[in-house]
Amino acid sequence: MRDSARFTGRGFGPGLPPAGAEIQARWSGEVLHLETWPEAGRAVRAEQLTARRQGAGLLLEWDVPGGRCALALDQGVGAGDTAVAILRRLAPAQAGTARGDARTRAWLWASLFLLLGLPILLLGLFFAFRGELVDLLVTQIPPQQEQRLADEMWTLQRRQLKLIKGSAANQLVEQLGARLAAAAPTPYVYRFHLVDDPSINAFALPAGYIVVHRGLIAKAGSAEEVAGVLAHEIQHVESRHGLRGMVQAMGLSVLWLAVSGDLGGGLAGDWIKHLAAMQFSREQEIAADTGGHARLLKAGIDPRGMASFFDRLGKAQGALPEALSLLSTHPASSERSARLQQLMRDAPPQPALAYDWVKLQASLNQAAPAPRPAP
Ligand SMILES: [Zn+2]
């Protein structure tokens, strides 16, 4: 606080116009110097002065032989250092009130920030760090809860799929799948399903539900090619890519998930369809390719089928409209193909899988879809 602060006020009193006049003043702490007051008595000692607050300003008064004089300070009492300094000297109790006003205003601003600013800030942070938040949440979901979620999703939504049961192709998918799943420890129970759908596709729900379309078996050139796709999908499950995609797609309700930990609440919606068309990131696909390749080798299956299947689909892309499902989620880019080829180059040879491929594909046409479960 500066004691000799200069300020401007409006003066009233003998010798001044009735509407008052602008006065340059200075406060020394003991004396009010009225530098532009028109007549004598330009210095008023503190003990001659009374001070009172007037609205947001301050009114200083003193008596002179010709009458009463006054100086009005417009500046807000809380905001003006000079006014507070004068009040503190002349009316300490009122100076306290002025400080109280300043505190009240600070509280009002803080409350306003908490009410409006904080939610906006949190929302901004949510969108800025959404990926990190999703990653963090996914690590907090135990595999048992993920399994319960997937079981429930399957029970509720499998009616959307025309399941085929008991065919040679079912056997193929189940046998290869079980062999690949057993190649490494897993917290999940794997289940492999065949769907009567001519499009070339395969996808995974969280926690080990893997769905293969009939069209994929029909287009594959060998059991090794089917095994390649299954190994890739199993890696998506093991890395929880589908679960992550679900948590991400839940949007702001992810915040609710963070608070409640209840993932089941997010089950409303056609998640099976959503997962069938879900596009993973480039990094996730690389992880699924690389992990799938290692898994094939551990299971004693030639991993070259993985590369040859995607390569063949990529080359036939234009002529194979039914290939669009798998290719839309797994673009057959030259980069991906080169990476797969690189992986396969050093793979040790494995004995061929013992399936009569021609007979197996022929059996697909005879396979009657299992009746849909009653709603
Ligand atoms: Zn994939």
Side-chain angles (χ1 to χ4, degrees), residues 243-305:
L243 180 68
R244 194 192 183 284
M246 283 182 71
V247 171
Q248 191 165 30
M250 282 165 73
L252 279 177
S253 45
V254 160
L255 290 178
W256 168 247
L257 172 64
V259 175
S260 68
D262 174 23
L263 194 61
L267 260 189
D270 276 352
W271 281 109
I272 288 190
K273 270 187 201 156
H274 195 68
L275 284 158
M278 191 175 276
Q279 192 141 22
F280 295 125
S281 74
R282 187 175 158 275
E283 289 71 27
Q284 288 174 322
E285 290 304 339
I286 292 176
D289 280 346
T290 318
H293 171 259
R295 183 174 289 273
L296 286 160
L297 283 177
K298 274 190 206 156
I301 299 174
D302 193 331
R304 285 170 187 83

Side-chain angles (χ1 to χ4, degrees), residues 164 166 169-179 191-194 230:
I164 302 174
N170 283 93
Q171 263 187 16
L172 167 86
V173 170
E174 282 159 19
Q175 285 169 3
L176 290 178
R179 184 165 162 183
R191 275 156 275 211
F192 299 87
H193 296 279
L194 189 64
L230 291 176

Side-chain angles (χ1 to χ4, degrees), residues 232-233 236 280 285 288 330:
H232 177 99
E233 292 304 325
H236 278 313
F280 295 125
E285 290 304 339
H330 295 83

Side-chain angles (χ1 to χ4, degrees), residues 10-21:
R10 194 146 197 92
F12 302 89
L16 290 175

